[in-house]
Amino acid sequence: MNQNVRDQKNKTEEIPIEIPLYKNNSASYIFGASVDTSYSSSSDLSGESDLVLLDRPNPPANRAWCSDENEPVLTVNLANYIKPTAVSYQHFKWNGTVPHGSPRVFNVFACIDFNCEKTEPLVTNCEYKSFGEIQEQIYQIPSNSKTKSIGKVQFRFLKNHGNVKKTCVSLVRVYGESTGIPKMREFKTKKISKTCSEFKHIHHHNPFSYDKVKTVSISGQTLKKGTFSIRETTKSREKWFRTHGQMIGIGMIGFMQIILLINSHRISSNVEETRQTVLNLQIQFDKLPKMDSRTNTEFQKADSIEKENEKMIEKLNEALKEVKPILMDQESKNEETPTKNSLHTFNAASYMYGASVDTSYSSSSDLSGESDLVLLDRPNPPANRAWCSDENEPVLTVNLANYIKPTAVSYQHFKWNRTVPDGSPRLFNVFACLDFSCEKTELLISNCEYKSSSQIQEQICQIPSNTKTKSIGKVQLRFLKNHGNVKKTCVSLVRVYGESTDLPKIKSVPIREFYNTCSYLRTSYHNYPFIYDKLHRKTCEHLFSNSCCSVCPECCDECYIEDYTDFYQFVVMLGAILAFVSFAFLLAFLCVFAMNGCKLKGLRRNGG
């Protein structure tokens, strides 16, 4: 009897426990989703595009994501990696007829890589219908879809109601299954100065003071009062350009008109000079002695020889055209047939391929606005361009250029001999991010050590081949210790190697100005450092994509992610305009003063 009871217990224990799946809107801003403006169309919501993801019952009409582009695109970073089940669209409140400009037909794609260059369709020809009173209309993703886990989607709006130019999108949702529910955004907020009831009273009775109130915490989320805003104030630079933009524009137009007048005067003088030179040439040509018959015959013989050579070259080209296909067939037979779906191993954390540092989920560093320099794959990263952080056990989060199966990570410090400098990483862990906010992670490598016992600048840590991680788009490096045990940790260059069926494209930036060639940049760098620093484009994309590093490696070592050349050029131009205007005013003042002096002298003479 006891034996039977034990057998029954063993049978019940053998039953596997199913992992529960949760369905949620993974495109909700409150859960951590965001609009990827780099791969979306431009819209009226400058800096507040995430409002299209703010999940609320009745989105307001004046806070929609509107774009004037033909067939606009909206790219969304989901809050976590999900198996998508449905998407939905909800326009602001309407009765009877959908307003003009609201989406009518759209497609939804899953992004396979970070740049959304490789996509996979989820739902096609979704139609937001104009009949009925349903604000939110849901479109189921086919259950036989091969898409397993995604972290980014792209909405492509094909038609809108009314066929007007502007398309306005109020609220999109992406439903899916995941093993965990993402956490709501949490912000460290100060003491709330107003309660919700006080805000309600102020909103209805004193709208001006309500608009000037700071922030209010709603369900643990800090948002602007009133019609919710993603950000409360614009940057000081944007304010400055808005207030002074008109004045600057007028000054620029005046400066351009002056340049045009000067150029027109130069052109007219050049035309007169060319006329004189043509006349002089004609006079000299008439004075030359005429050629005799012997020289004419010699020229004719030379022409006949050249014609014969041209005929021979044409015949040879025709013969080569006939032979070339035969040679090509033989070469193609000798070549091996390419295998389909071949895997490419590359550094997916390369800035030039499109990788970037996610500063929202990384520690603060000295490289303000230029954190991506830690991903710029170059042979010898410079010491003065490292990503340095004062935080204890700093974190660096990297958006990879492609979704890859990771094989290894590496770290390379700036050039050192015998002893690694203090502050360089010594021990670090690498995690794969399973959601966009990196709240759910999976360990790839633990206790990766950058050793000081060798002269190797780049040291590679292999990822175990038995790892369960299949495809990732974001990694997080957590630095545990540094050499010298000092306060500041300085990171020069990290790489993440992995396998993918596609190779990402290198960023390309055309050289627009003729003087910004590589050789000219090198000359300016060594001989005219002020001109090089203030008046030349020296961004990393500009130098690397145009192969300037082989001509001027020093330029590539000190390149910038954000180049302030345009700002300096603007300052120089503004200074030139002000100098010209002040000179004109001074000249006018002197003329007026001289005229008044002449008048006074004339009056004195007449009076005398």
Side-chain angles (χ1 to χ4, degrees):
M1 186 72 181
N2 291 330
Q3 185 67 29
N4 293 331
V5 171
R6 286 174 187 172
D7 292 338
Q8 286 179 358
K9 283 182 179 179
N10 290 330
K11 287 179 183 178
T12 55
E13 286 174 359
E14 288 174 1
I15 299 170
I17 299 169
E18 292 184 357
I19 299 171
L21 294 174
Y22 301 94
K23 290 184 179 179
N24 60 287
N25 171 23
S26 191
S28 172
Y29 170 75
I30 299 298
F31 281 134
S34 62
V35 172
D36 196 332
T37 53
S38 301
Y39 306 105
S40 301
S41 300
S42 57
S43 74
D44 298 345
L45 282 178
S46 177
E48 293 191 292
S49 298
D50 292 339
L51 282 171
V52 75
L53 308 178
L54 189 59
D55 200 340
R56 40 190 168 180
N58 294 308
N62 62 339
R63 310 293 282 170
W65 182 89
C66 298
S67 179
D68 292 319
E69 293 186 16
N70 185 28
E71 297 185 1
V73 174
L74 178 68
T75 306
V76 179
N77 296 316
L78 301 177
N80 59 337
Y81 286 85
I82 60 165
K83 184 184 186 318
T85 56
V87 297
S88 78
Y89 176 69
Q90 179 179 346
H91 206 60
F92 58 80
K93 200 168 185 181
W94 51 273
N95 293 315
T97 306
V98 181
H100 288 343
S102 57
R104 184 180 173 188
V105 179
F106 60 92
N107 296 335
V108 185
F109 290 82
C111 295
I112 307 301
D113 59 351
F114 187 78
N115 301 332
C116 284
E117 291 180 357
K118 188 178 179 183
T119 56
E120 191 176 282
L122 294 177
V123 192
T124 57
N125 294 323
C126 296
E127 186 179 358
Y128 190 70
K129 298 175 181 177
S130 60
F131 56 84
E133 296 295 325
I134 300 170
Q135 303 297 129
E136 181 189 11
Q137 297 180 19
I138 300 172
Y139 314 93
Q140 297 293 332
I141 295 170
S143 56
N144 59 354
S145 175
K146 295 179 181 178
T147 307
K148 292 182 179 180
S149 181
I150 61 171
K152 183 180 283 193
V153 296
Q154 196 170 70
F155 289 79
R156 300 178 186 175
F157 301 97
L158 308 178
K159 296 179 182 178
N160 60 26
H161 286 272
N163 292 323
V164 293
K165 185 180 179 182
K166 183 173 283 189
T167 303
C168 288
V169 183
S170 294
L171 176 59
V172 295
R173 297 182 179 94
V174 181
Y175 298 98
E177 297 175 344
S178 65
T179 54
I181 297 175
K183 295 179 182 179
M184 294 179 73
R185 291 175 185 255
E186 292 182 359
F187 289 84
K188 293 179 182 179
T189 55
K190 296 179 181 179
K191 189 177 179 180
I192 302 169
S193 57
K194 301 283 182 183
T195 62
C196 297
S197 58
E198 287 178 86
F199 271 104
K200 184 178 179 180
H201 179 78
I202 296 168
H203 174 71
H204 289 289
H205 296 90
N206 196 350
F208 178 80
S209 62
Y210 174 81
D211 190 50
K212 301 303 175 186
V213 174
K214 290 184 179 178
T215 54
V216 59
S217 177
I218 301 172
S219 302
Q221 168 62 30
T222 303
L223 294 171
K224 194 184 172 187
K225 63 286 152 206
T227 57
F228 299 124
S229 295
I230 300 303
R231 62 176 187 178
E232 187 174 351
T233 57
T234 57
K235 293 179 181 179
S236 59
R237 188 187 296 176
E238 291 177 356
K239 283 185 176 180
W240 189 86
F241 276 109
R242 284 180 184 176
T243 52
H244 302 283
Q246 191 175 2
M247 190 185 299
I248 293 164
I250 292 166
M252 292 286 285
I253 291 165
F255 183 68
M256 290 300 292
Q257 287 177 347
I258 291 161
I259 289 170
L260 287 171
L261 287 169
I262 293 165
N263 285 334
S264 63
H265 177 71
R266 285 180 181 176
I267 289 163
S268 62
S269 61
N270 287 333
V271 168
E272 290 296 328
E273 288 177 2
T274 51
R275 283 179 182 174
Q276 287 294 119
T277 52
V278 168
L279 288 170
N280 293 329
L281 285 169
Q282 284 180 353
I283 292 163
Q284 290 176 4
F285 183 75
D286 291 335
K287 291 178 180 178
L288 288 172
K290 293 182 179 179
M291 298 173 72
D292 56 358
S293 59
R294 289 179 183 177
T295 53
N296 288 330
T297 54
E298 287 177 0
F299 279 119
Q300 287 174 1
K301 284 179 182 179
D303 290 336
S304 63
I305 290 163
E306 286 179 0
K307 287 177 181 178
E308 287 178 2
N309 289 333
E310 287 176 0
K311 287 179 181 179
M312 288 293 290
I313 291 164
E314 287 177 1
K315 287 179 181 179
L316 284 170
N317 288 330
E318 288 175 0
L320 284 171
K321 284 179 182 177
E322 292 177 358
V323 175
K324 197 173 181 180
I326 299 166
L327 293 172
M328 289 294 288
D329 291 336
Q330 288 178 355
E331 287 177 0
S332 61
K333 287 178 183 177
N334 294 329
E335 288 178 357
E336 293 180 358
T337 54
T339 56
K340 292 182 178 179
N341 297 327
S342 58
L343 292 173
H344 304 279
T345 303
F346 62 98
N347 173 23
S350 172
Y351 171 73
M352 288 308 296
Y353 280 138
S356 60
V357 171
D358 196 332
T359 52
S360 302
Y361 306 105
S362 300
S363 300
S364 58
S365 75
D366 297 344
L367 282 178
S368 178
E370 291 196 290
S371 297
D372 292 339
L373 282 172
V374 75
L375 308 178
L376 189 61
D377 200 339
R378 43 190 167 180
N380 294 308
N384 61 339
R385 311 290 285 166
W387 183 89
C388 298
S389 179
D390 292 321
E391 293 185 14
N392 186 27
E393 297 186 0
V395 174
L396 179 68
T397 306
V398 180
N399 295 317
L400 301 177
N402 258 29
Y403 284 86
I404 58 164
K405 185 185 186 317
T407 56
V409 295
S410 78
Y411 174 69
Q412 178 179 347
H413 206 61
F414 58 80
K415 202 168 184 180
W416 51 272
N417 292 315
R418 295 183 182 179
T419 307
V420 181
D422 288 347
S424 57
R426 183 180 173 187
L427 278 179
F428 60 93
N429 296 337
V430 184
F431 291 82
C433 296
L434 303 182
D435 59 352
F436 188 79
S437 307
C438 283
E439 292 179 358
K440 189 177 180 183
T441 57
E442 187 176 286
L443 183 65
L444 293 177
I445 306 174
S446 62
N447 294 324
C448 186
E449 185 179 359
Y450 189 71
K451 299 176 182 177
S452 60
S453 57
S454 63
Q455 296 295 324
I456 302 169
Q457 302 297 130
E458 182 189 9
Q459 297 179 19
I460 299 172
C461 298
Q462 297 291 334
I463 294 171
S465 57
N466 59 355
T467 182
K468 296 178 182 179
T469 306
K470 292 182 179 180
S471 181
I472 60 171
K474 182 180 282 194
V475 296
Q476 195 170 69
L477 291 91
R478 301 176 186 176
F479 301 96
L480 308 177
K481 294 180 181 179
N482 59 28
H483 285 272
N485 292 323
V486 295
K487 184 181 179 182
K488 183 173 282 189
T489 303
C490 287
V491 183
S492 292
L493 176 59
V494 295
R495 297 180 179 95
V496 181
Y497 297 99
E499 295 175 345
S500 174
T501 54
D502 292 333
L503 273 172
K505 295 178 182 178
I506 294 177
K507 293 182 180 183
S508 60
V509 180
I511 296 180
R512 294 180 182 176
E513 297 85 356
F514 72 93
Y515 53 81
N516 269 351
T517 58
C518 301
S519 58
Y520 191 87
L521 283 171
R522 182 180 181 180
T523 305
S524 297
Y525 178 84
H526 289 287
N527 299 311
Y528 311 106
F530 180 81
I531 293 171
Y532 175 82
D533 190 47
K534 306 301 181 187
L535 300 176
H536 287 308
R537 293 184 186 276
K538 50 199 173 294
T539 56
C540 301
E541 297 98 328
H542 186 85
L543 295 169
F544 276 78
S545 61
N546 291 299
S547 303
C548 286
C549 298
S550 58
V551 179
C552 185
E554 306 89 352
C555 302
C556 292
D557 286 344
E558 298 185 9
C559 68
Y560 294 89
I561 300 298
E562 291 182 358
D563 191 3
Y564 297 99
T565 298
D566 292 335
F567 174 73
Y568 287 123
Q569 286 178 349
F570 169 75
V571 170
V572 170
M573 192 175 290
L574 187 64
I577 292 167
L578 291 173
F580 181 80
V581 170
S582 59
F583 177 75
F585 273 114
L586 182 63
L587 192 66
F589 176 76
L590 290 172
C591 289
V592 171
F593 183 77
M595 288 174 67
N596 289 332
C598 292
K599 286 180 180 179
L600 285 169
K601 285 181 181 179
L603 289 169
R604 284 173 184 173
R605 286 175 184 175
N606 293 328

